Amino acid sequence: MSNVSYHISNLLEKMTSTDKDFRFMATNDLMLELQKDSIKLDEDSERKVVSMLLKLLEDKNGEVQNLAVKCLAPLVSKVKEPQVETMVDTLCSNMVSDKEQLRDISSMGLKTVIAELPLSSSGLTLTASVCKKITSQLIGAMGKQEDVSVQLEALDILSDMLARLSGALVSFHSSLLSSLLPQLTSSRMAVRKRSILALGHLVPCCSPALFSQLTEHLLTELAKGPPTSLTRTYIQCLATISRQGGHRVGEHLEKLIPMVVKFTSVEDDELREYCFQAFEAFIRRCPKEMSPHVATVTKLCLKFMTFDPNYNYDDDEQEEEDSMDIEDGLDEESDDEYSDDDDMSWKVRRSSIKCLEALINTRRDLLLSFYSSICPALLARFKEREENVRADVFAAFSTLLRQTRVGSSHHGLIVAGSDLGSSSEEEPAVAVLKKQVPLIVKALHRQLKEKSIKSRQGCFCLLTELSHTVPGALEQHIPALIPGIVFSLTDKSTSSTMRIDALSFFHVLLLSHPPQAFQPHMQVLLPPVVACVEDTFYKITSEALLVVQQLVRVMRPQGHAATSGGIDPKPFVREVFSVTLKRLKATDIDQEVKERAISCMSHMVCHLGDLLGADLPGVLAIFLERLKNEITRLTAVRAITLIAASPIKIDLSSILPEALSVLGSFLRKNQRTLKLGTLNCLTALVSHHASSIKPAALEPVLSELPALVDEGDMHVSQVSITLLTCMAKACPSSLAKISSSVLPGVFRLVHSPMLQGGALAAILDFIQALVLSKTSSLGYSQLLKSLTEPFHSSRSSADSGVIHRQSFHSVARCVAALSSACPKETPGSVAGFIQEIKNPGSPESARVLALLCLGEVGRSGSLGGSKEVQGVILEAFTSTSEEVKTAASCALGSMAVGSLNDYLPFLLKEISSQPRRQYLLLHSLKEVISACPASSLSPHVESIWSLLFQNCECQEEGTRNLVAECLGKLTLVNPAQLLPRLKQQLKAGSPLARSTVVTAIKFTIADQPAPIDSLLKDCIGDFLKTLQDQDINVRRVALVMFNSAAHNKPSLIRGLLGTVLPHLYKETQIRKDLIREVEMGPFKHTVDDGLDVRKAAFECMYTLLDSCLEGLDVLQFLDHVEEGLKDHYDIRMLTFLMLARLVSLCPAAVLQRLDRLVEPLKATCTTKVKAGSVKQEFEKQEELRRSAMRAVAALLAVPEVERSPSMADFANQIRTNADMASIYQSVQGGEGGSLGPTESMDMS
């Protein structure tokens, strides 16, 4: 300790030296000492250090002064409160000194101190007292009218302080306001500007009353009609406070808007600019409250975006096009004439265009009306002469395109060149946009040859957005665009970014349009792109290689695009090949260029390999080299895959043997993408080049496969099995030793509960290929035995739980695949299965499997209507085992799919005559309706329909749901006839029948486009009227159905939100009349019958956030979320999820309600479970707290959140409370604070 004091007093002594270098070095050493964490000072040293540093601030040498200021920062956290106060006092009094240098350095010192004051709750007292000191001094300094620079410094420091510590200054807010307002009338513009900034920082944290006072003041002053320069300041101030205070302005808009509108008519350009900036702030911050004023503001923007009084645009465009060269000459002169410095009109144009952009951004719901009002106006402004303004016009138009895309690609409907144009989801906005394309191109193609780089970049951005929004729309206009692209690539004065932009647009254009559109222009297009590949700047080279890769596709398209016409690629091959080869050979180039050169060359070999002649082996040898290099191996694997599958049959024999052994070694690597790429590559090689592969060459590959077939990674297993299937088909001899190596793994996979989907399909293909490959020792009976073996070992009953239900179905599918590959063997197997089922001694698992196998074999129709089989099934229905009964119902359904006429009448008869087995038989019927094509079902529709309606009022909810599912799926067979009938039933039936009908509608909504959609759209409103049903159960199923529609086909309900939402919100409220008390012995237990309905309603709300956000009034939505935060456990979990989602979707609205949302979150995070509660209770509470903390973490990720005093307080509480801090850390660490996959709700 004394050691430190000694060292420091030594330094202090040197600081008094007359030699400035000594002083400088000593101060520097002191700063290094202070920056160490370990340093502790006693009180005496503290005092000495502080007074010395303050003295050094007045040093004659500037460098020493600067260092002294830097020392203040670490000091703040190291010394005790009185010393900090001494520092602050001295600095403040120096602020008003006469010496300018001292003033400057002291204000720097104050800013340093403010930046270092602690924010945590432990240091808040210090912070508060220091702030009070500084504030009172600054308010005094601001009053000094005679010296402007003091005022400016004071305002600057105040802004800093308010920005960082506004919460600690609450007590000063009103005095600050009253001292800042007079500064707005100062004679110096700089003072006004800084006061506005300070007010901006004051606004987020001040009380609503103060905010109103400020707005009222501005309104009163503006109403007096002050001189223009003052009006400008007030309007600017309005814009700033609404940008910073956001939603609070909403309440005052009614009075503000007319005032601002009035000032746009004053002949003063800057004032107008500020007016539009204010409008923009209003629109961005309070989109909802602005609704009534949108029309007024749009009208003003449209009027002033063309405001250019000193310049005459030539309106006659035709003439302009003819006399373009003369026009250019004129243009330059006329620009000089008018670019006098007083012309500020461009500011008005720019601000009104920015205001329009804000409007487009915040109001997606008005998109269609924008296309009729704003779109033509923006198009007309493409000819703007001021390049900054023109860039903004382009930006606004790009925003319009982006908003259109957000709407139309809600379900990823955009596919280049496909004919999805007519699909039901195409929004009207896209259709309107398509009509505008010719006008857009006409306005832009001239700009693409302008000298101005900013304009050209704007054009390329806009055209890129257009290609993304409406792929294929530019096909007719490509000839008009090509000269512009070529100009930007070849123009000597063009910067490299411009070239990159032009290339990346060209790339998007090539991807989103059919190759035929570019073929006629190859001669013009290739040379400049090839020149870019040769460029010295690697980014240009790598973009150009991407473009070349697409151009190769254009020269000779493959697949369905290849048929029509085309060009002869021969003349172009040489030049493209030589530049790409040069890049491919080079090893000392950027990684990205390496990869793209490999990829580009592989496309060239794949499309044009037959034209490369003698160069081909050399290129393939390079690919082999790249395959052995760790950095490029993945790209090389993909390249070889592409070449192997090329329709022009490239001869790979020169590299095959070596490539196979290298590829085999990759299967051992612990890099999943490499494994998958390698497996795909091997599959392509085996399928297309089997004739040149010797079986021995495949051995190293085969020895790696057993490890890859494993339930740990289903996708890798699936691809591995696909490779085995290819081997079985192409070179069966290589599989001779397979039974000991890979097969056991495949069977393990078949018996795994994880197997489903793609992996199962791959195994079925493999088993069929294997049996047909006639490899020895792997015949039908062998495989059948291996598949069914585990089910026959009659284990002790304790152990029989090992076989999972899923594996029964997988094995049955495999058995059916086997028997369809060997039809001769089928009858024997069927007889075996029937024996198995009849044999009372066989284990239950074997009987279940035999039933399922019968069903799967029967699905292909190979059983016919055998009476014996029907008898066996009926007998199984009487079994005591639930498993056997269920299997029998599955089997019956599957067989009926195979031969409808034999089994369906039997099935329907049984359903009506056997009420006790109804549930099982309905399961069979559901299977039939789901799996049969509409054409074969239609003769039976009537009989099924009437039978289902006899059972739609069943008391059992499970049976009713099954009936509903059958009804829904049956309706899909003939929607035009059956949907109106369902609607009829709504009026007729009892509550149970109504709930069945509404649930049936849920099953008609699929996530793929279906013929029923347009009919559903017309009548779903009638079904949703059941949300107002008397019966609570009907309301619940109606909500579930609405949720399904919102999740799978939002387009069905978007138009109905206005009528549906009030009923939906009504269901989120807790209803006292549904809560009852049940006595359980000595305890009373409350039961809430309304809980399920509320849960369904909140689930709908969650879904709407994803699919119909623009149809929601978020603030109203938040009211109900807020109620849900205080509800039952399940609902709280849901609302925490919603809150986290809302924070990422519309932070502004959440901030508006923050103070009301913090309380329930805080309550959940701080609750403790009563001691002695059961374990479940603890876990439940823990899960709730974690979920609430996720919502808090999402909130804290929004920068402006801690401006709210209550939130800042809560954040401090979390940091200081160890328990909460640890939950917060774990939530942050686990999912990065954002909505991770673990958190999004399961909506299946």
Side-chain angles (χ1 to χ4, degrees):
M1 182 79 185
S2 56
N3 187 358
V4 175
S5 328
Y6 173 72
H7 183 52
I8 288 203
S9 57
N10 227 340
L11 290 175
L12 292 176
E13 203 173 316
K14 287 187 185 155
M15 289 183 189
T16 53
S17 153
T18 48
D19 183 343
K20 65 171 192 289
D21 292 340
F22 267 121
R23 295 199 303 273
F24 180 80
M25 285 318 293
T27 318
N28 198 32
D29 290 349
L30 176 69
M31 184 165 82
L32 296 175
E33 277 301 315
L34 290 173
Q35 279 167 348
K36 290 179 189 158
D37 281 337
S38 54
I39 185 170
K40 297 268 189 295
L41 296 173
D42 53 35
E43 211 156 308
D44 191 40
S45 313
E46 278 185 15
R47 242 199 326 279
K48 285 181 183 160
V49 170
V50 170
S51 60
M52 192 67 217
L53 283 174
L54 292 172
K55 202 164 127 197
L56 285 180
L57 287 180
E58 303 183 38
D59 198 281
K60 294 185 184 61
N61 181 301
E63 287 176 344
V64 176
Q65 280 183 329
N66 285 339
L67 262 186
V69 169
K70 281 187 189 156
C71 288
L72 294 176
L75 253 188
V76 175
S77 51
K78 297 278 193 304
V79 299
K80 297 189 184 56
E81 208 170 303
Q83 306 306 329
V84 182
E85 293 189 10
T86 318
M87 277 161 43
V88 172
D89 277 336
T90 318
L91 289 170
C92 283
S93 52
N94 286 349
M95 274 276 311
V96 289
S97 112
D98 307 334
K99 300 187 196 138
E100 185 165 350
Q101 196 180 7
L102 183 59
R103 270 199 323 246
D104 288 350
I105 211 89
S106 306
S107 69
M108 270 169 66
L110 271 176
K111 284 180 188 166
T112 312
V113 171
I114 288 169
E116 286 301 317
L117 285 174
L119 280 172
S120 62
S121 47
S122 52
L124 276 179
T125 47
L126 163 72
T127 305
S129 59
V130 170
C131 285
K132 284 179 182 146
K133 277 229 154 43
I134 302 185
T135 311
S136 45
Q137 300 260 17
L138 288 179
I139 291 181
M142 280 194 312
K144 288 211 181 329
Q145 293 291 345
E146 65 277 3
D147 190 350
V148 175
S149 58
V150 174
Q151 268 184 308
L152 287 177
E153 285 299 348
L155 283 165
D156 221 11
I157 294 167
L158 234 172
S159 281
D160 271 13
M161 201 154 71
L162 282 169
R164 191 162 177 269
L165 307 163
S166 185
L169 295 173
V170 175
S171 51
F172 277 101
H173 281 174
S174 60
S175 54
L176 279 172
L177 185 64
S178 43
S179 56
L180 281 170
L181 287 176
Q183 304 298 336
L184 292 177
T185 55
S186 156
S187 52
R188 296 287 300 266
M189 283 317 284
V191 174
R192 293 187 200 178
K193 280 228 164 85
R194 288 196 191 176
S195 314
I196 291 178
L197 277 178
L199 281 169
H201 290 303
L202 174 70
V203 162
C205 282
C206 69
S207 64
L210 266 187
F211 188 84
S212 302
Q213 188 188 331
L214 170 57
T215 338
E216 291 301 327
H217 174 84
L218 292 175
L219 277 168
T220 339
E221 291 300 316
L222 282 170
K224 294 178 185 163
T228 311
S229 77
L230 260 183
T231 313
R232 275 186 217 154
T233 304
Y234 288 136
I235 299 270
Q236 216 177 346
C237 186
L238 259 184
T240 303
I241 63 176
S242 69
R243 255 195 301 277
Q244 297 284 350
H247 55 92
R248 291 179 163 186
V249 188
E251 305 146 30
H252 305 279
L253 278 183
E254 285 307 317
K255 299 181 204 143
L256 288 172
I257 298 276
M259 189 71 85
V260 184
V261 168
K262 187 179 88 188
F263 285 114
T264 52
S265 54
V266 177
E267 286 295 327
D268 178 88
D269 290 350
E270 278 191 58
L271 175 57
R272 282 179 181 149
E273 179 189 14
Y274 297 147
C275 286
F276 281 116
Q277 281 170 354
F279 283 142
E280 183 188 351
F282 297 156
I283 290 169
R284 284 199 191 279
R285 291 291 179 228
C286 338
K288 182 190 165 207
E289 290 89 341
M290 275 300 283
S291 296
H293 312 289
V294 166
T296 324
V297 175
T298 314
K299 204 166 135 198
L300 281 172
C301 289
L302 293 175
K303 175 178 164 193
F304 282 104
M305 67 189 270
T306 57
F307 173 71
D308 199 355
N310 304 331
Y311 184 77
N312 186 14
Y313 287 92
D314 191 352
D315 285 337
D316 197 357
E317 286 206 7
Q318 249 354 85
E319 192 175 83
E320 213 174 317
E321 284 197 8
D322 301 339
S323 59
M324 227 169 119
D325 318 329
I326 321 167
E327 188 69 18
D328 275 355
L330 283 176
D331 235 11
E332 281 161 30
E333 287 169 34
S334 50
D335 260 2
D336 294 343
E337 256 172 76
Y338 283 118
S339 64
D340 28 333
D341 300 333
D342 341 336
D343 182 15
M344 285 299 180
S345 64
W346 64 274
K347 287 188 170 174
V348 181
R349 297 199 296 280
R350 188 181 62 183
S351 57
S352 57
I353 286 162
K354 284 209 155 136
C355 183
L356 282 177
E357 186 179 358
L359 198 60
I360 298 168
N361 232 333
T362 49
R363 299 299 301 259
R364 254 219 82 228
D365 47 332
L366 302 176
L367 198 58
L368 265 182
S369 66
F370 291 157
Y371 267 106
S372 52
S373 57
I374 299 180
C375 172
L378 284 173
L379 274 173
R381 287 313 295 165
F382 283 0
K383 58 171 191 264
E384 168 66 56
R385 64 196 172 101
E386 192 63 52
E387 85 167 341
N388 287 333
V389 184
R390 190 163 45 207
D392 285 320
V393 177
F394 290 153
F397 203 87
S398 297
T399 305
L400 183 65
L401 293 173
R402 231 175 323 209
Q403 290 288 38
T404 312
R405 186 157 88 243
V406 171
S408 63
S409 64
H410 216 78
H411 293 280
L413 272 172
I414 288 182
V415 182
S418 72
D419 299 324
L420 277 179
S422 56
S423 103
S424 57
E425 287 268 339
E426 174 167 291
E427 305 230 333
V430 180
V432 180
L433 175 59
K434 282 184 176 165
K435 297 197 183 75
Q436 301 285 352
V437 172
L439 296 172
I440 300 176
V441 176
K442 188 177 178 190
L444 286 185
H445 79 97
R446 217 175 305 124
Q447 305 262 0
L448 283 174
K449 292 220 187 79
E450 295 264 328
K451 288 188 199 63
S452 148
I453 285 189
K454 208 169 179 182
S455 287
R456 278 187 285 169
Q457 277 176 321
C459 289
F460 282 136
C461 275
L462 196 155
L463 287 166
T464 307
E465 285 295 341
L466 184 60
S467 306
H468 282 316
T469 308
V470 196
L474 291 169
E475 191 174 344
Q476 311 301 313
H477 309 285
I478 284 172
L481 296 173
I482 284 176
I485 298 174
V486 172
F487 172 69
S488 277
L489 293 180
T490 49
D491 179 30
K492 288 286 172 284
S493 60
T494 299
S495 68
S496 50
T497 40
M498 186 68 249
R499 274 193 202 158
I500 294 171
D501 281 357
L503 285 166
S504 73
F505 163 62
F506 191 17
H507 186 232
V508 170
L509 195 65
L510 284 163
L511 280 178
S512 52
H513 292 76
Q516 290 76 26
F518 302 96
Q519 285 174 348
H521 312 284
M522 285 302 279
Q523 257 128 346
V524 193
L525 288 171
L526 255 184
V529 178
V530 168
C532 287
V533 177
E534 295 272 28
D535 199 278
T536 46
F537 183 37
Y538 75 97
K539 282 197 167 160
I540 294 184
T541 308
S542 91
E543 279 294 332
L545 283 167
L546 279 184
V547 174
V548 171
Q549 184 173 312
Q550 290 305 321
L551 285 173
V552 168
R553 222 193 64 216
V554 170
M555 289 184 211
R556 190 196 273 169
Q558 284 175 354
H560 63 93
T563 46
S564 51
I567 50 164
D568 177 20
K570 274 206 188 79
F572 309 115
V573 173
R574 283 266 61 87
E575 54 175 330
V576 179
F577 177 74
S578 57
V579 289
T580 315
L581 186 64
K582 187 171 148 194
R583 291 293 180 195
L584 180 67
K585 278 182 175 164
T587 45
D588 53 346
I589 47 171
D590 184 80
Q591 171 71 13
E592 191 180 63
V593 179
K594 269 187 205 168
E595 288 179 1
R596 288 186 176 172
I598 295 174
S599 166
C600 179
M601 186 55 97
S602 67
H603 273 77
M604 209 171 297
V605 175
C606 169
H607 286 260
L608 310 166
D610 49 347
L611 303 175
L612 297 180
D615 293 316
L616 188 60
V619 173
L620 293 176
I622 298 179
F623 279 143
L624 191 56
E625 282 306 306
R626 297 288 175 268
L627 193 63
K628 294 174 188 166
N629 176 339
E630 187 174 345
I631 297 178
T632 52
R633 62 188 180 193
L634 185 58
T635 321
V637 167
R638 288 175 181 156
I640 293 176
T641 314
L642 189 73
I643 295 170
S646 163
I648 48 178
K649 302 276 183 288
I650 307 295
D651 175 21
L652 294 176
S653 50
S654 57
I655 61 164
L656 255 182
E658 202 173 343
L660 282 172
S661 73
V662 176
L663 288 168
S665 69
F666 287 168
L667 295 176
R668 277 198 297 275
K669 300 279 186 274
N670 193 11
Q671 190 188 351
R672 188 165 182 270
T673 36
L674 182 65
K675 270 188 213 167
L676 284 170
T678 307
L679 288 167
N680 285 328
C681 182
L682 287 165
T683 307
L685 287 170
V686 172
S687 335
H688 297 278
H689 299 270
S691 52
S692 41
I693 298 179
K694 297 184 182 65
L698 285 172
E699 294 213 339
V701 173
L702 270 171
S703 61
E704 299 301 335
L705 284 178
L708 297 181
V709 179
D710 172 63
E711 65 178 38
D713 188 334
M714 276 300 180
H715 188 54
V716 171
S717 304
Q718 178 184 338
V719 184
S720 311
I721 291 171
T722 310
L723 170 61
L724 283 169
T725 312
C726 285
M727 288 185 185
K729 287 177 181 164
C731 30
S733 54
S734 60
L735 293 184
K737 301 184 187 138
I738 185 177
S739 53
S740 55
S741 60
V742 189
L743 267 187
V746 175
F747 288 131
R748 266 200 308 279
L749 205 56
V750 174
H751 298 138
S752 149
M754 320 280 278
L755 184 69
Q756 52 167 334
L760 176 57
I763 289 185
L764 298 178
D765 284 347
F766 171 57
I767 287 181
Q768 287 184 324
L770 199 55
V771 132
L772 295 173
S773 70
K774 304 277 190 292
T775 313
S776 57
S777 81
L778 293 176
Y780 179 84
S781 48
Q782 211 78 26
L783 286 170
L784 188 61
K785 184 165 172 271
S786 308
L787 281 169
T788 53
E789 205 164 25
F791 299 88
H792 288 282
S793 45
S794 49
R795 305 194 179 120
S796 63
S797 57
D799 202 31
S800 64
V802 179
I803 303 178
H804 193 274
R805 181 180 290 171
Q806 177 62 40
S807 45
F808 284 100
H809 291 280
S810 308
V811 172
R813 296 275 303 274
C814 292
V815 170
L818 259 182
S819 76
S820 72
C822 315
K824 289 202 185 78
E825 309 276 357
T826 310
S829 307
V830 170
F833 292 139
I834 292 177
Q835 276 323 102
E836 189 74 66
I837 299 167
K838 285 181 170 169
N839 172 8
S842 62
E844 183 191 304
S845 56
R847 295 213 301 277
V848 170
L849 181 68
L851 279 165
L852 292 173
C853 289
L854 273 184
E856 288 301 331
V857 172
R859 191 182 277 270
S860 58
S862 50
L863 288 181
S866 133
K867 280 278 173 283
E868 190 184 5
V869 174
Q870 289 182 6
V872 168
I873 296 275
L874 282 181
E875 202 176 320
F877 274 147
T878 58
S879 160
T880 49
S881 148
E882 283 303 317
E883 296 294 324
V884 174
K885 286 188 205 169
T886 315
S889 96
C890 283
L892 182 57
S894 301
M895 292 179 217
V897 172
S899 42
L900 260 185
N901 298 334
D902 294 324
Y903 286 95
L904 191 63
F906 163 68
L907 179 60
L908 295 176
K909 186 175 106 240
E910 286 290 310
I911 292 180
S912 32
S913 62
Q914 301 278 358
R916 300 206 27 220
R917 299 186 199 152
Q918 216 167 33
Y919 187 75
L920 293 170
L921 292 160
L922 280 169
H923 253 294
S924 311
L925 182 61
K926 183 189 87 178
E927 178 63 30
V928 176
I929 298 176
S930 311
C932 281
S935 52
S936 52
L937 264 180
S938 33
H940 307 280
V941 167
E942 286 306 321
S943 49
I944 301 179
W945 186 266
S946 57
L947 176 74
L948 287 172
F949 265 110
Q950 284 158 26
N951 293 304
C952 73
E953 297 185 11
C954 175
Q955 291 303 315
E956 275 286 306
E957 184 171 8
T959 310
R960 275 207 314 277
N961 281 344
L962 260 182
V963 170
E965 187 169 349
C966 292
L967 274 175
K969 293 189 166 158
L970 192 60
T971 307
L972 294 173
V973 175
N974 183 351
Q977 260 187 341
L978 300 179
L979 205 63
R981 286 206 200 160
L982 275 181
K983 204 160 107 182
Q984 228 56 59
Q985 287 296 328
L986 271 186
K987 303 190 185 71
S990 62
L992 290 179
R994 288 202 298 275
S995 73
T996 309
V997 169
V998 175
T999 310
I1001 291 295
K1002 181 181 96 175
F1003 289 105
T1004 61
I1005 302 167
D1007 51 359
Q1008 256 60 46
I1012 192 172
D1013 294 349
S1014 52
L1015 300 164
L1016 255 184
K1017 194 166 185 172
D1018 297 335
C1019 67
I1020 197 162
D1022 300 314
F1023 291 105
L1024 285 173
K1025 289 207 177 96
T1026 49
L1027 285 171
Q1028 305 158 51
D1029 200 281
Q1030 302 300 307
D1031 184 83
I1032 186 164
N1033 192 37
V1034 177
R1035 294 205 299 276
R1036 183 181 61 81
V1037 293
L1039 285 167
V1040 174
M1041 182 266 286
F1042 178 66
N1043 190 8
S1044 170
H1047 185 64
N1048 295 316
K1049 276 233 175 66
S1051 56
L1052 291 176
I1053 50 137
R1054 280 205 185 112
L1056 300 168
L1057 285 180
T1059 48
V1060 173
L1061 282 174
H1063 302 298
L1064 169 62
Y1065 290 150
K1066 191 172 153 198
E1067 295 303 327
T1068 61
Q1069 284 148 11
I1070 298 178
R1071 285 181 43 190
K1072 294 274 187 293
D1073 54 323
L1074 293 175
I1075 297 177
R1076 54 199 166 90
E1077 279 202 343
V1078 181
E1079 291 192 5
M1080 299 170 88
F1083 303 109
K1084 283 192 171 170
H1085 179 63
T1086 50
V1087 176
D1088 182 353
D1089 292 328
L1091 179 62
D1092 284 344
V1093 177
R1094 289 207 302 284
K1095 222 157 98 181
F1098 278 107
E1099 281 171 5
C1100 287
M1101 285 171 64
Y1102 184 84
T1103 308
L1104 288 173
L1105 278 186
D1106 270 345
S1107 55
C1108 306
L1109 184 64
E1110 58 276 0
L1112 300 175
D1113 167 354
V1114 178
L1115 293 176
Q1116 189 186 359
F1117 188 90
L1118 271 166
D1119 288 339
H1120 299 283
V1121 172
E1122 189 187 329
E1123 289 306 305
L1125 289 171
K1126 305 168 191 153
D1127 204 327
H1128 180 270
Y1129 167 83
D1130 292 337
I1131 289 174
R1132 273 176 26 219
M1133 292 293 276
L1134 259 176
T1135 44
F1136 292 145
L1137 276 179
M1138 277 197 250
L1139 199 55
R1141 193 88 190 85
L1142 275 162
V1143 173
S1144 65
L1145 292 170
C1146 28
V1150 178
L1151 290 177
Q1152 202 161 335
R1153 284 296 159 79
L1154 197 53
D1155 297 342
R1156 283 157 51 179
L1157 297 168
V1158 172
E1159 277 319 302
L1161 283 172
K1162 201 172 181 174
T1164 303
C1165 287
T1166 48
T1167 25
K1168 291 270 183 287
V1169 186
K1170 292 194 199 84
S1173 300
V1174 286
K1175 183 166 171 250
Q1176 280 92 335
E1177 198 52 45
F1178 271 108
E1179 285 171 357
K1180 226 170 170 184
Q1181 195 54 46
E1182 210 34 43
E1183 201 32 62
L1184 256 186
R1185 290 176 67 184
R1186 287 181 63 79
S1187 193
M1189 199 54 94
R1190 285 192 193 109
V1192 175
L1195 276 171
L1196 289 174
V1198 179
E1200 298 107 62
V1201 151
E1202 293 207 28
R1203 285 180 183 168
S1204 135
S1206 54
M1207 191 68 195
D1209 192 40
F1210 184 28
N1212 276 328
Q1213 200 177 334
I1214 292 175
R1215 290 186 193 112
T1216 49
N1217 172 328
D1219 183 24
M1220 286 205 284
S1222 75
I1223 298 183
Y1224 181 71
Q1225 276 330 107
S1226 70
V1227 167
Q1228 278 284 61
E1231 290 102 26
S1234 67
L1235 260 174
T1238 46
E1239 256 168 284
S1240 52
M1241 206 165 90
D1242 175 26
M1243 285 305 212
S1244 49

